[in-house]
Amino acid sequence: MPENRAPGTAGALTLELFSTTSAIAINSILLTLATLSSSKESFAQLEIGIRTVIDRETIDEIIYTTLKIRDRLIMELQARAGMRIGEVLKLTPNDIDGVKVTIRNPKSGREQETVFLTRRISERLRNYISDRNIGSDERIFPLSYNGARLVVKRAGRSRGLHLTPHDLRRHAATFASRSGVPLEVVSKIILRHRNLSTTQRYLGKVSESEAASWIDRIYE
């Protein structure tokens, strides 16, 4: 036997049920949107992680569109000469002799190492030092490590990339290798590794399209 309900009770229950269901649905949608928004950067980073090496055109665009000469030099020394960010930050004018740079107390544990610059970068660096009257023993780039990382990160963000100093150093080695520079030179001169096996692990992976392109170049 059906229960006795006051008039309008069934309608009120139906309305309450509808309101509750709608609220749950709306909350679910909002939660989904919030999750997608918060994971947008993570997803972008995942895509970058899959791309083991950033292509030359992108790195060039990032460097050439960087207007602040200090920031451009910091990135060029990493992306063109393979320097570590810590080495860049410790540089003084005394360490520079034309296109040759002396790295003192390097990470390898050696007493010193030598890095070679392109003539254009060497000239820009020399002008930068001269224009700012930087003393021979003063740091050329008096930034903190985090400050320098932020310079690189901001430059990458302008192109939708999560860019790190390590990416720039890796690019220097991989681009040189794929341009035909012997592995020994990449290892001993650009990366300054003790073992070739370390360099081989460091270099970016070659995709199928890149492999096909290189074969075409070899036998053209």
Side-chain angles (χ1 to χ4, degrees):
M1 185 173 181
E3 291 182 16
N4 292 325
R5 291 194 179 113
T9 300
L13 289 174
T14 301
L15 179 59
E16 181 180 355
L17 178 61
F18 175 77
S19 299
T20 302
T21 304
S22 299
I24 293 173
I26 291 171
N27 286 335
S28 177
I29 293 171
L30 291 175
L31 179 61
T32 301
L33 290 174
T35 302
L36 288 174
S37 177
S38 64
S39 64
K40 184 177 180 181
E41 183 176 352
S42 298
F43 181 71
Q45 292 178 15
L46 176 62
E47 289 186 315
I48 298 304
I50 293 172
R51 286 179 58 196
T52 53
V53 175
I54 300 172
D55 60 85
R56 179 190 175 184
E57 289 73 19
T58 300
I59 293 295
D60 284 350
E61 184 180 5
I62 289 172
I63 289 174
Y64 295 152
T65 56
T66 298
L67 301 180
K68 196 168 185 177
I69 183 62
R70 181 202 66 183
D71 296 351
R72 174 171 174 168
L73 281 170
I74 286 174
M75 290 190 289
E76 283 186 311
L77 289 170
Q78 296 170 84
R80 309 301 195 208
M83 292 181 66
R84 298 177 178 90
I85 186 62
E87 296 169 344
V88 172
L89 295 179
K90 289 191 294 184
L91 277 182
T92 69
N94 274 342
D95 299 325
I96 301 166
D97 181 15
V99 298
K100 187 171 72 172
V101 175
T102 299
I103 306 297
R104 306 184 193 282
N105 302 313
K107 186 178 179 180
S108 65
R110 302 184 184 99
E111 182 177 346
Q112 64 181 41
E113 294 175 348
T114 301
V115 170
F116 293 93
L117 310 178
T118 67
R119 287 183 173 82
R120 289 182 180 180
I121 294 177
S122 174
E123 183 178 349
R124 277 197 292 274
L125 187 57
R126 186 169 59 251
N127 291 338
Y128 180 85
I129 294 169
S130 175
D131 292 345
R132 287 156 184 78
N133 296 314
I134 299 173
S136 58
D137 292 322
E138 294 179 345
R139 288 170 56 199
I140 300 172
F141 308 108
L143 291 175
S144 67
Y145 182 78
N146 286 335
R149 283 182 62 87
L150 187 58
V151 165
V152 176
K153 184 177 181 179
R154 284 174 176 168
R157 190 184 297 161
S158 69
R159 294 295 177 271
L161 297 174
H162 178 70
L163 188 67
T164 69
H166 189 74
D167 292 327
L168 297 176
R169 176 169 155 84
R170 181 187 292 268
H171 167 81
T174 302
F175 176 68
S177 175
R178 296 182 185 180
S179 298
V181 176
L183 184 59
E184 291 84 357
V185 174
V186 175
S187 180
K188 303 299 182 183
I189 304 300
I190 298 177
L191 293 178
R192 292 163 280 127
H193 286 158
R194 290 182 180 274
N195 301 312
L196 290 178
S197 58
T198 305
T199 302
Q200 289 172 322
R201 292 195 302 271
Y202 198 95
L203 297 179
K205 297 178 181 178
V206 179
S207 66
E208 291 184 0
S209 60
E210 288 175 317
S213 175
W214 275 107
I215 294 299
D216 281 340
R217 294 184 194 182
I218 292 171
Y219 295 106
E220 276 182 346

